Amino acid sequence: MGSDCLFCRIVAGEIPATVVRETDTTLAFRDIDPKAPVHVLVIPKEHYADVATLAQGDPALAADVLATSAAVAEDEGLLGDGFRLMFNTGVYGGQEVFHVHAHLLGGAPLGPMLARGLA
Ligand code: AMP
């Protein structure tokens, strides 16, 4: 990928982000439009479009994303009261940026899992 991908550009340092944790393979940074008191995005540095492509293409890298998410949850003090980790995927999942990212949300009760049920 590269210049067409927003999150690849963040990895490359071409677009600023508030980075909270970095490993050899992953980057975690604060969401620009937070939906909870803590809202961090955790991505693999290598470009995969979504979580299914990542999990099928490089399971070890998918595990790195989970491990970094857990480390950030601990850093942010979320382990006691809990948090939500989610991957919006594809059109029905509401994905807007097609570089896989885990949303780590916490710091307050997050309410029901979905804004509305299946009407
Ligand atoms: P999704 O809808 O799951 O693809 O989520 C994309 C997320 O990226 C949204 O929560 C946006 O607020 C967030 N976002 C978009 N641009 C940036 C940016 N430059 N830095 C940090 N977060 C961003």
Side-chain angles (χ1 to χ4, degrees):
M1 248 312 188
S3 61
D4 287 345
C5 171
L6 174 64
F7 289 173
C8 284
R9 295 188 69 191
I10 287 176
V11 170
E14 296 170 7
I15 292 176
T18 304
V19 172
V20 296
R21 182 171 278 263
E22 180 171 11
T23 70
D24 287 348
T25 58
T26 67
L27 192 68
F29 52 94
R30 297 202 188 279
D31 196 289
I32 203 167
D33 181 18
K35 309 296 190 299
V38 175
H39 188 173
V40 173
L41 303 177
V42 183
I43 66 170
K45 290 180 176 177
E46 188 177 345
H47 184 91
Y48 285 89
D50 59 40
V51 69
T53 312
L54 172 63
Q56 291 168 351
D58 191 340
L61 184 56
D64 288 351
V65 171
L66 290 184
T68 296
S69 300
V72 174
E74 182 169 29
D75 291 346
E76 299 285 330
L78 303 181
L79 295 188
D81 289 330
F83 58 90
R84 186 170 293 159
L85 190 66
M86 63 181 204
F87 295 86
N88 294 328
T89 305
V91 174
Y92 277 16
Q95 186 175 4
E96 294 177 353
V97 177
F98 284 83
H99 181 131
V100 57
H101 49 282
H103 292 263
L104 174 65
L105 297 151
L110 297 169
M113 190 167 65
L114 299 175
R116 59 178 176 78
L118 295 174

